Short mmCIF file of all heavy atoms in Angstrom, two decimals:
data_model
loop_
_atom_site.label_atom_id
_atom_site.label_comp_id
_atom_site.label_asym_id
_atom_site.label_seq_id
_atom_site.Cartn_x
_atom_site.Cartn_y
_atom_site.Cartn_z
N ALA A 1 12.30 8.63 13.63
CA ALA A 1 12.38 10.10 13.67
C ALA A 1 13.47 10.57 12.72
O ALA A 1 14.52 9.93 12.56
CB ALA A 1 12.69 10.57 15.08
N ASN A 2 13.21 11.68 12.04
CA ASN A 2 14.15 12.33 11.11
C ASN A 2 14.54 11.47 9.91
O ASN A 2 15.59 11.68 9.31
CB ASN A 2 15.40 12.80 11.85
CG ASN A 2 15.05 13.78 12.95
OD1 ASN A 2 14.31 14.73 12.73
ND2 ASN A 2 15.53 13.52 14.15
N ALA A 3 13.70 10.50 9.56
CA ALA A 3 13.95 9.71 8.34
C ALA A 3 13.83 10.63 7.13
O ALA A 3 13.04 11.58 7.13
CB ALA A 3 12.95 8.57 8.23
N PRO A 4 14.60 10.40 6.07
CA PRO A 4 14.48 11.24 4.88
C PRO A 4 13.12 11.07 4.22
O PRO A 4 12.51 10.00 4.30
CB PRO A 4 15.60 10.75 3.98
CG PRO A 4 15.94 9.39 4.46
CD PRO A 4 15.60 9.36 5.92
N GLY A 5 12.65 12.11 3.58
CA GLY A 5 11.39 12.05 2.87
C GLY A 5 11.51 11.19 1.62
O GLY A 5 12.61 10.91 1.14
N PHE A 6 10.37 10.76 1.09
CA PHE A 6 10.39 9.93 -0.13
C PHE A 6 9.03 9.99 -0.81
O PHE A 6 8.04 10.45 -0.24
CB PHE A 6 10.76 8.48 0.20
CG PHE A 6 9.77 7.77 1.08
CD1 PHE A 6 8.71 7.05 0.53
CD2 PHE A 6 9.90 7.80 2.45
CE1 PHE A 6 7.81 6.39 1.36
CE2 PHE A 6 9.01 7.15 3.29
CZ PHE A 6 7.96 6.43 2.73
N THR A 7 9.00 9.52 -2.05
CA THR A 7 7.78 9.40 -2.83
C THR A 7 7.69 7.98 -3.34
O THR A 7 8.70 7.42 -3.78
CB THR A 7 7.77 10.39 -4.01
OG1 THR A 7 7.87 11.72 -3.49
CG2 THR A 7 6.51 10.28 -4.82
N ARG A 8 6.51 7.41 -3.29
CA ARG A 8 6.30 6.04 -3.76
C ARG A 8 4.99 5.99 -4.54
O ARG A 8 3.98 6.50 -4.09
CB ARG A 8 6.24 5.10 -2.56
CG ARG A 8 6.18 3.64 -2.90
CD ARG A 8 6.20 2.79 -1.65
NE ARG A 8 7.49 2.94 -0.97
CZ ARG A 8 7.72 2.50 0.27
NH1 ARG A 8 6.77 1.90 0.95
NH2 ARG A 8 8.91 2.65 0.80
N SER A 9 5.02 5.37 -5.73
CA SER A 9 3.82 5.23 -6.57
C SER A 9 3.32 3.80 -6.55
O SER A 9 4.09 2.86 -6.34
CB SER A 9 4.13 5.64 -8.01
OG SER A 9 4.46 7.01 -8.07
N TYR A 10 2.02 3.64 -6.81
CA TYR A 10 1.36 2.34 -6.79
C TYR A 10 0.58 2.15 -8.10
O TYR A 10 -0.65 2.27 -8.12
CB TYR A 10 0.44 2.23 -5.58
CG TYR A 10 1.17 2.45 -4.28
CD1 TYR A 10 1.25 3.71 -3.70
CD2 TYR A 10 1.81 1.40 -3.64
CE1 TYR A 10 1.93 3.91 -2.51
CE2 TYR A 10 2.51 1.59 -2.45
CZ TYR A 10 2.56 2.85 -1.90
OH TYR A 10 3.24 3.05 -0.72
N PRO A 11 1.27 1.85 -9.21
CA PRO A 11 0.60 1.76 -10.51
C PRO A 11 -0.45 0.65 -10.60
O PRO A 11 -1.41 0.78 -11.36
CB PRO A 11 1.75 1.52 -11.49
CG PRO A 11 2.89 1.03 -10.68
CD PRO A 11 2.71 1.60 -9.31
N SER A 12 -0.31 -0.41 -9.84
CA SER A 12 -1.29 -1.50 -9.88
C SER A 12 -2.63 -1.10 -9.26
O SER A 12 -3.61 -1.85 -9.40
CB SER A 12 -0.75 -2.73 -9.15
OG SER A 12 0.40 -3.21 -9.80
N PHE A 13 -2.67 0.05 -8.59
CA PHE A 13 -3.89 0.47 -7.91
C PHE A 13 -4.51 1.72 -8.54
O PHE A 13 -5.24 2.46 -7.87
CB PHE A 13 -3.62 0.67 -6.41
CG PHE A 13 -3.42 -0.64 -5.69
CD1 PHE A 13 -2.17 -1.23 -5.65
CD2 PHE A 13 -4.48 -1.29 -5.11
CE1 PHE A 13 -1.97 -2.44 -5.03
CE2 PHE A 13 -4.30 -2.51 -4.47
CZ PHE A 13 -3.04 -3.09 -4.43
N SER A 14 -4.23 1.94 -9.82
CA SER A 14 -4.86 3.06 -10.54
C SER A 14 -6.37 2.92 -10.47
O SER A 14 -6.91 1.81 -10.60
CB SER A 14 -4.41 3.07 -12.00
OG SER A 14 -3.04 3.35 -12.08
N GLY A 15 -7.04 4.02 -10.24
CA GLY A 15 -8.50 4.01 -10.14
C GLY A 15 -9.03 3.63 -8.77
O GLY A 15 -10.24 3.63 -8.56
N ARG A 16 -8.16 3.33 -7.84
CA ARG A 16 -8.58 2.97 -6.48
C ARG A 16 -8.42 4.16 -5.54
O ARG A 16 -7.61 5.05 -5.77
CB ARG A 16 -7.73 1.82 -5.93
CG ARG A 16 -7.76 0.58 -6.74
CD ARG A 16 -9.11 -0.08 -6.61
NE ARG A 16 -9.12 -1.36 -7.29
CZ ARG A 16 -9.64 -2.44 -6.79
NH1 ARG A 16 -10.20 -2.42 -5.59
NH2 ARG A 16 -9.63 -3.56 -7.46
N THR A 17 -9.17 4.17 -4.47
CA THR A 17 -9.02 5.17 -3.42
C THR A 17 -8.05 4.62 -2.38
O THR A 17 -8.19 3.48 -1.94
CB THR A 17 -10.38 5.47 -2.76
OG1 THR A 17 -11.26 5.98 -3.76
CG2 THR A 17 -10.24 6.47 -1.63
N VAL A 18 -7.08 5.43 -1.99
CA VAL A 18 -6.09 5.03 -0.99
C VAL A 18 -6.22 5.95 0.21
O VAL A 18 -6.30 7.17 0.07
CB VAL A 18 -4.66 5.07 -1.57
CG1 VAL A 18 -3.63 4.78 -0.49
CG2 VAL A 18 -4.52 4.09 -2.72
N ARG A 19 -6.24 5.35 1.39
CA ARG A 19 -6.35 6.12 2.63
C ARG A 19 -5.14 5.86 3.51
O ARG A 19 -4.63 4.74 3.55
CB ARG A 19 -7.61 5.72 3.37
CG ARG A 19 -8.88 6.05 2.62
CD ARG A 19 -10.10 5.59 3.41
NE ARG A 19 -11.32 6.01 2.78
CZ ARG A 19 -12.01 5.27 1.93
NH1 ARG A 19 -11.60 4.07 1.60
NH2 ARG A 19 -13.12 5.73 1.40
N LEU A 20 -4.71 6.88 4.24
CA LEU A 20 -3.64 6.77 5.23
C LEU A 20 -4.28 6.56 6.59
O LEU A 20 -5.15 7.33 6.99
CB LEU A 20 -2.80 8.05 5.28
CG LEU A 20 -2.08 8.46 4.01
CD1 LEU A 20 -1.51 9.86 4.16
CD2 LEU A 20 -0.99 7.47 3.70
N VAL A 21 -3.84 5.52 7.29
CA VAL A 21 -4.41 5.21 8.59
C VAL A 21 -3.27 5.06 9.60
O VAL A 21 -2.39 4.21 9.42
CB VAL A 21 -5.22 3.89 8.53
CG1 VAL A 21 -5.81 3.56 9.88
CG2 VAL A 21 -6.30 3.98 7.46
N SER A 22 -3.29 5.86 10.65
CA SER A 22 -2.26 5.77 11.69
C SER A 22 -2.40 4.47 12.45
O SER A 22 -3.51 4.04 12.77
CB SER A 22 -2.39 6.94 12.66
OG SER A 22 -1.49 6.78 13.73
N ILE A 23 -1.27 3.82 12.75
CA ILE A 23 -1.29 2.67 13.64
C ILE A 23 -0.46 2.97 14.88
O ILE A 23 0.01 2.07 15.56
CB ILE A 23 -0.86 1.37 12.93
CG1 ILE A 23 0.48 1.50 12.23
CG2 ILE A 23 -1.92 0.91 11.96
CD1 ILE A 23 0.96 0.22 11.58
N ASP A 24 -0.28 4.25 15.16
CA ASP A 24 0.37 4.71 16.37
C ASP A 24 -0.69 5.18 17.36
O ASP A 24 -1.84 5.38 16.99
CB ASP A 24 1.31 5.90 16.08
CG ASP A 24 2.63 5.46 15.49
OD1 ASP A 24 3.06 4.34 15.79
OD2 ASP A 24 3.22 6.24 14.75
N MET A 25 -0.27 5.40 18.56
CA MET A 25 -1.20 5.86 19.60
C MET A 25 -1.70 7.28 19.36
O MET A 25 -2.74 7.65 19.85
CB MET A 25 -0.54 5.77 20.97
CG MET A 25 -0.18 4.36 21.38
SD MET A 25 -1.59 3.26 21.45
CE MET A 25 -2.38 3.84 22.92
N ASN A 26 -0.96 8.10 18.59
CA ASN A 26 -1.37 9.50 18.42
C ASN A 26 -2.55 9.67 17.47
O ASN A 26 -3.18 10.69 17.45
CB ASN A 26 -0.19 10.37 17.98
CG ASN A 26 0.33 10.03 16.60
OD1 ASN A 26 -0.28 9.26 15.88
ND2 ASN A 26 1.46 10.60 16.24
N GLY A 27 -2.84 8.67 16.63
CA GLY A 27 -4.01 8.71 15.77
C GLY A 27 -3.91 9.62 14.57
O GLY A 27 -4.89 9.83 13.87
N ALA A 28 -2.75 10.19 14.30
CA ALA A 28 -2.59 11.09 13.16
C ALA A 28 -1.39 10.67 12.32
O ALA A 28 -0.47 10.03 12.81
CB ALA A 28 -2.39 12.52 13.64
N VAL A 29 -1.45 10.99 11.04
CA VAL A 29 -0.31 10.75 10.14
C VAL A 29 0.23 12.12 9.76
O VAL A 29 -0.44 12.90 9.11
CB VAL A 29 -0.75 9.97 8.87
CG1 VAL A 29 0.42 9.82 7.93
CG2 VAL A 29 -1.32 8.62 9.25
N GLY A 30 1.45 12.43 10.20
CA GLY A 30 2.03 13.74 9.94
C GLY A 30 3.00 13.72 8.77
O GLY A 30 3.77 12.77 8.61
N GLY A 31 2.94 14.74 7.94
CA GLY A 31 3.90 14.89 6.87
C GLY A 31 3.74 13.92 5.72
O GLY A 31 4.65 13.74 4.93
N ALA A 32 2.59 13.27 5.60
CA ALA A 32 2.35 12.31 4.52
C ALA A 32 1.05 12.66 3.80
O ALA A 32 0.10 13.13 4.42
CB ALA A 32 2.28 10.89 5.06
N SER A 33 1.03 12.42 2.50
CA SER A 33 -0.18 12.70 1.73
C SER A 33 -0.25 11.76 0.53
O SER A 33 0.76 11.22 0.07
CB SER A 33 -0.20 14.15 1.26
OG SER A 33 0.89 14.40 0.40
N ILE A 34 -1.45 11.58 0.02
CA ILE A 34 -1.71 10.80 -1.19
C ILE A 34 -2.25 11.75 -2.25
O ILE A 34 -3.10 12.59 -1.96
CB ILE A 34 -2.77 9.70 -0.92
CG1 ILE A 34 -2.27 8.68 0.08
CG2 ILE A 34 -3.20 9.02 -2.21
CD1 ILE A 34 -1.20 7.76 -0.44
N ASP A 35 -1.73 11.63 -3.47
CA ASP A 35 -2.32 12.37 -4.59
C ASP A 35 -2.45 11.43 -5.79
O ASP A 35 -1.89 10.34 -5.80
CB ASP A 35 -1.51 13.63 -4.92
CG ASP A 35 -0.20 13.31 -5.60
OD1 ASP A 35 -0.22 12.96 -6.80
OD2 ASP A 35 0.86 13.42 -4.95
#
């Protein structure tokens, strides 16, 4: 909780589709996005 925000890039995966999948009981990923 309250961890600082960050940005991370994945250059080895250019051209791939990336999905965010929750592994918590709530089933949602809050405050995170892929572009």
Side-chain angles (χ1 to χ4, degrees):
N2 301 311
F6 64 91
T7 300
R8 187 177 294 168
S9 295
Y10 303 92
S12 297
F13 288 86
S14 294
R16 301 290 185 136
T17 299
V18 175
R19 296 178 174 94
L20 299 170
V21 180
S22 174
I23 54 178
D24 281 331
M25 297 301 287
N26 66 10
V29 176
S33 63
I34 295 288
D35 73 75

